[in-house]
Amino acid sequence: MPDEQPGAPRLDPAVAARLRRNADGLVPAIAQQYDTGEVLMLAWMDDEALRRTLATGRGTYWSRSRQSYWVKGETSGHTQRVHSVALDCDGDTLLLRVDQTGPACHTGDRTCFDAGDLPLAAQ
């Protein structure tokens, strides 16, 4: 992740202290449609992506493949307006309740989780 700029705003230290990051300094962020509960996607955030999301109300993530920040919908128009952000009990996963405009998945599907259920051996 890029070095912080001197004097740049930082994530609230009280929030940062609650986060349990992986070895790469990232936390998984689940985006959920705020009014239906539909799970839309999973992405990754570092402190700066979370700070930007909280400051702007727009879903901002860290791209592990591009090694850069991205705002959901910035190029596609398929935006996420963030209604709330919650941290789980362990501090290692974020839940963003969003209003998704258009598809959430990069494949053009509404959700990244519509490829079909995996078979369960026992039901």
Side-chain angles (χ1 to χ4, degrees):
M1 282 150 278
D3 293 329
E4 290 186 26
Q5 300 296 323
R10 300 180 82 171
L11 182 62
D12 179 331
V15 173
R18 295 176 59 197
L19 293 176
R20 288 187 47 208
R21 301 158 195 81
N22 68 13
D24 296 321
L26 301 172
V27 177
I30 300 166
Q32 178 184 45
Q33 179 64 35
Y34 82 100
D35 55 353
T36 65
E38 179 182 29
V39 177
L40 301 170
M41 59 178 260
L42 175 119
W44 295 91
M45 290 184 158
D46 66 356
D47 288 25
E48 178 59 14
L50 179 55
R51 185 198 68 77
R52 291 180 188 189
T53 297
L54 294 171
T56 66
R58 297 168 41 196
T60 305
Y61 305 98
W62 175 255
S63 170
R64 295 177 301 163
S65 59
R66 293 180 300 226
Q67 293 290 293
S68 63
Y69 295 104
W70 58 281
V71 177
K72 183 69 175 164
E74 197 166 57
T75 56
S76 68
H78 304 150
T79 59
Q80 289 179 346
R81 185 169 55 92
V82 178
H83 282 250
S84 66
V85 178
L87 188 58
D88 79 340
C89 58
D90 296 322
D92 62 2
T93 304
L94 294 161
L95 176 63
L96 283 72
R97 291 182 190 94
V98 304
D99 189 12
Q100 177 71 42
T101 300
C105 188
H106 71 281
T107 65
D109 290 332
R110 169 75 181 158
T111 171
C112 294
F113 296 97
D114 65 356
D117 292 342
L118 300 177
L120 293 173
Q123 289 202 20

